[in-house]
Amino acid sequence: MRAKLGPSTIIGMIAILVWCLLPVVWIIMLSFKPEAETAAGSPQFLPKDWSWENYQSVLQDDLFQRALINSFGISLIATVLSVMIATLTAYAVARLEFKGKRVVLSIALAIAMFPVVSLVGPLFDMWRAVGLYDTWLGLIIPYMSFTLPLAIWTLTAFFREIPWEMEQAAQVDGATSWQAFRKVIVPLAAPGVFTAAILTFFFAWNDFVFGISLTSTTNARPVPAALAFFVGPDQFNPPTSTLSAAAVVVTIPIIIIVLIFQRKIVAGLTSGAVKG
Amino acid sequence: MSTGATTATPAAAEKARKGTSDRSRAENRLGLKLVAPAVILMLLVTAYPMLRALYLSLFKYRLSAPDDREFVGLNNYVTVLTDSLWWGDVFNTVVIMVITVAFELVIGFAFAMVMHRVVFARGIIRTSILIPYGIITVVSAFAWQFAFSLNNGFVNGWLPFIGEDFNWFGDKWPAMIAIMVSEIWKTTPFMSLLLLAGLAQVSEDTIEAAKVDGATWWQRLWKVILPNMKAAIMVAVLFRALDAFRIFDNIFVMTRGAQDTESVSFLTYRQIIEQFELGMGSALSVLLFLSVLLIAYLLVKLFKVDLASARGER
């Protein structure tokens, strides 16, 4: 029986919670320290004086606002397009018999392991030649290519579990093929599509390499790149607590998504990787 | 059933193909049409640029002086491979890869064991384990950089054997430790979820039988549980090792390669984006690609990773 709850399991649970949350709590605490406090040096964990001033200055910062808009826009568009294309692919892989199926899966596997930095040079060169450098589209295209493998795997694993016979059963019962598709297949496939979309969004939201090398201005620079280049007035002492507030702001969407969809995300992450 | 062939045995599929060759040809065409957009997009952004990098790597080509482009053959490769900077960075990258993956495997497995047994508060555990996974790597790098920092970090105060005034970023190995801590913190949860899925494949009955036969906890772990989830462990190690070899974000934020903490990825980026050396940078890109290929090959051959399971095939 695995329902047994020994002391080792409880210690383990506490260890997991501390591991996962300590750095997050730490950066939240930092973000509430007034800038003057961190500039003078404040090695204690909790703020001496709690203050909202960092959040005010970050949210009013024009560069940061633009970066947030860029990140949301680029990640969302890349996610929608990538999941749409991956759905077609996964449907074909899961349901149809055709030559080259293994090749498709092998390409996806190879792309997932590809060292992204080695593309920085040629893409930098190509994008400047065709006018995609420092544009949304210039980031959306690489994000799509690199999220496709994850989306294809996740969706293929989900689609293999769908009892497709039910579609025919509904048609036998008098439903039109459109009705059968909409009422039977779409509700069954939707959770998988949704999970793939979350994982894809995480990937695009997290990207740093393309974000710093294929952009140069606020035109398209996404949040992670903007954070890394955020130096403040004194180049040798980056504003610790302001940066922390910005870091907390960009982490909030992740935490909300995780809180609502944790079960789906775990199912999606583990479905493609292991048989079953 | 129109898709019987996906699950049918080869012999039955053969028979079906003969009987309905028109239909199977149509299915073939539809399949290719459906996968075409994804395949084209994936190759457009990887295969074509990679071939272009291969071409550019044969030139002396600075973006600041594009007209001086000149064919130099394999000279860029000779320059890189005879430079101690390249080998130093390869060494750093391999050290980071081996140490982080080893820690992630052990800690991730411990976490997976705990999650496997937890019956209440599963949602809380699952949510917290996903936060490091979902958090932006740059944010993780900042959080740990501040934690290790001399002026504002709590680490020096909390660790009893470290002096209050110890500067983690003042020397190579302490800085490497800080980088690795951030990397391990962020990616262990992903490892533990992959291992949890593998753990679920091990039958409870086998473990119970070993227990009845008098196997200790340690014996059950090494003789029953681990051998039965070998495939899951190998896939997780392969993915994480290749990911760790590409380490870039943490180094960029925490040290920018100072104190000799540069990785191969960072060197490539620096040559291209900061020094505008597109020819030399392309040679580095090709070498980085070949290194990843070599590591993947070695892992697959040495540890016999079952890639079919990684692709989700049956």
Side-chain angles (χ1 to χ4, degrees):
Chain A
M1 282 292 284
R2 63 167 159 139
K4 229 183 340 185
L5 194 67
S8 59
T9 309
I10 293 177
I11 293 171
M13 281 171 68
I14 295 169
I16 292 178
L17 290 178
V18 170
W19 173 280
C20 296
L21 301 180
L22 180 76
V24 180
V25 174
W26 158 246
I27 201 145
I28 293 173
M29 290 303 127
L30 265 181
S31 72
F32 282 109
K33 292 180 181 179
E35 190 56 60
E37 192 179 323
T38 54
S42 81
Q44 83 284 1
F45 199 84
L46 297 175
K48 283 192 196 113
D49 301 302
W50 295 71
S51 132
W52 285 99
E53 66 173 57
N54 301 310
Y55 286 94
Q56 277 161 2
S57 60
V58 158
L59 291 174
Q60 280 160 11
D61 188 287
D62 191 40
L63 295 177
F64 187 68
Q65 285 172 2
R66 293 292 299 271
L68 270 181
I69 295 170
N70 287 339
S71 260
F72 264 112
I74 294 170
S75 304
L76 276 179
I77 296 172
T79 302
V80 170
L81 294 176
S82 170
V83 168
M84 273 164 51
I85 294 176
T87 305
L88 301 180
T89 311
Y91 177 84
V93 171
R95 265 201 94 185
L96 304 178
E97 200 52 46
F98 61 97
K99 290 190 191 96
K101 195 164 162 174
R102 295 182 68 90
V103 178
V104 174
L105 290 169
S106 304
I107 292 175
L109 187 67
I111 306 277
M113 296 174 178
F114 206 89
V116 275
V117 173
S118 59
L119 295 176
V120 159
L123 280 183
F124 180 74
D125 202 32
M126 283 161 61
W127 270 200
R128 278 158 38 111
V130 297
L132 282 176
Y133 181 71
D134 204 22
T135 64
W136 279 28
L137 192 60
L139 286 180
I140 290 172
I141 294 173
Y143 286 2
M144 283 172 69
S145 325
F146 277 91
T147 52
L148 273 172
L150 186 65
I152 291 173
W153 277 325
T154 314
L155 284 167
T156 306
F158 266 96
F159 285 176
R160 280 191 171 134
E161 304 295 316
I162 290 181
W164 296 95
E165 316 85 75
M166 280 176 67
E167 191 182 27
Q168 270 142 347
Q171 280 170 349
V172 170
D173 289 348
T176 65
S177 34
W178 171 243
Q179 278 174 326
F181 176 74
R182 218 180 64 87
K183 297 268 165 84
V184 179
I185 296 304
V186 170
L188 285 170
V193 174
F194 200 70
T195 306
I198 294 173
L199 297 180
T200 304
F201 184 82
F202 274 12
F203 184 99
W205 186 251
N206 186 24
D207 164 74
F208 181 59
V209 173
F210 291 126
I212 50 169
S213 35
L214 301 179
T215 66
S216 58
T217 64
T218 53
N219 246 348
R221 178 153 286 174
V223 158
L227 280 181
F229 287 118
F230 188 82
V231 275
D234 178 1
Q235 211 198 323
F236 295 99
N237 290 304
T240 304
S241 54
T242 318
L243 260 172
S244 303
V248 172
V249 171
V250 301
T251 306
I252 289 170
I254 299 288
I255 293 182
I256 293 173
I257 294 175
V258 163
L259 273 175
I260 304 175
F261 303 114
Q262 28 106 354
R263 195 185 299 264
K264 282 202 172 84
I265 301 172
V266 170
L269 276 178
T270 50
S271 63
V274 184
K275 274 184 217 176
Chain B
M1 214 173 88
S2 64
T3 59
T6 35
T7 45
T9 59
E14 189 65 34
K15 213 179 279 173
R17 206 169 292 147
K18 270 180 200 155
T20 57
S21 69
D22 275 352
R23 189 146 144 212
S24 78
R25 216 173 297 139
E27 190 170 311
N28 209 349
R29 263 203 307 275
L30 178 64
L32 291 177
K33 257 183 230 162
L34 288 176
V35 299
V39 170
I40 291 169
L41 196 66
M42 286 193 286
L43 294 181
L44 180 80
V45 179
T46 50
Y48 176 70
M50 215 51 235
L51 289 174
R52 206 174 142 74
L54 195 60
Y55 171 75
L56 286 177
S57 70
L58 304 176
F59 290 87
K60 183 174 166 36
Y61 180 23
R62 276 184 70 102
L63 274 177
S64 46
D67 298 335
D68 296 347
R69 190 159 108 170
E70 143 187 27
F71 184 82
V72 291
L74 294 175
N75 256 1
N76 286 330
Y77 292 96
V78 174
T79 312
V80 171
L81 292 174
T82 52
D83 195 329
S84 62
L85 182 65
W86 158 261
W87 293 108
D89 288 357
V90 169
F91 172 74
N92 288 346
T93 316
V94 171
V95 166
I96 290 173
M97 177 179 82
V98 171
I99 295 181
T100 56
V101 173
F103 271 93
E104 285 159 17
L105 191 58
V106 173
I107 301 170
F109 187 74
F111 284 5
M113 293 281 272
V114 172
M115 285 192 283
H116 191 60
R117 282 199 215 158
V118 165
V119 280
F120 69 98
R122 285 193 149 192
I124 296 173
I125 296 286
R126 217 162 22 201
T127 305
S128 35
I129 208 99
L130 284 175
I131 287 176
Y133 166 77
I135 219 165
I136 298 178
T137 312
V138 170
V139 168
S140 159
F142 273 122
W144 285 104
Q145 188 194 28
F146 297 151
F148 280 105
S149 96
L150 189 55
N151 296 326
N152 288 308
F154 65 86
V155 171
N156 281 353
W158 285 18
L159 289 182
F161 46 88
I162 300 284
E164 290 291 323
D165 55 353
F166 184 72
N167 181 3
W168 286 86
F169 298 104
D171 210 356
K172 176 172 179 171
W173 291 105
M176 289 278 272
I177 289 173
I179 290 169
M180 287 190 272
V181 166
S182 175
E183 177 82 3
I184 293 170
W185 175 73
K186 155 118 179 104
T187 52
T188 297
F190 177 65
M191 184 77 116
S192 71
L193 287 174
L194 292 185
L195 295 176
L196 178 64
L199 209 51
Q201 310 280 97
V202 183
S203 103
E204 289 287 329
D205 292 348
T206 324
I207 301 173
E208 206 57 35
K211 207 171 181 175
V212 171
D213 289 347
T216 62
W217 181 85
W218 191 246
Q219 283 170 329
R220 292 201 300 272
L221 177 67
W222 282 95
K223 297 274 158 75
V224 181
I225 299 176
L226 289 178
N228 273 306
M229 52 183 292
K230 187 169 168 260
I233 294 175
M234 286 312 156
V235 170
V237 167
L238 178 69
F239 271 87
R240 278 301 313 141
L242 293 177
D243 205 33
F245 191 81
R246 298 177 285 193
I247 185 166
F248 178 82
D249 306 13
N250 275 312
I251 292 177
F252 186 99
V253 171
M254 295 176 88
T255 64
R256 299 230 172 179
Q259 316 296 350
D260 186 20
T261 55
E262 195 170 71
S263 71
V264 179
S265 284
F266 195 83
L267 174 67
T268 310
Y269 167 84
R270 205 160 53 82
Q271 284 295 317
I272 295 167
I273 302 293
E274 285 174 14
Q275 321 243 340
F276 293 121
E277 290 279 5
L278 203 55
M280 186 71 77
S282 296
L284 284 165
S285 296
V286 173
L287 288 170
L288 174 61
F289 175 72
L290 292 177
S291 312
V292 167
L293 215 56
L294 178 72
I295 293 172
Y297 176 81
L298 287 178
L299 280 172
V300 171
K301 283 291 154 202
L302 288 181
F303 297 108
K304 302 194 169 49
V305 180
D306 181 9
L307 280 176
S309 71
R311 283 197 299 248
E313 286 169 15
R314 317 204 146 189

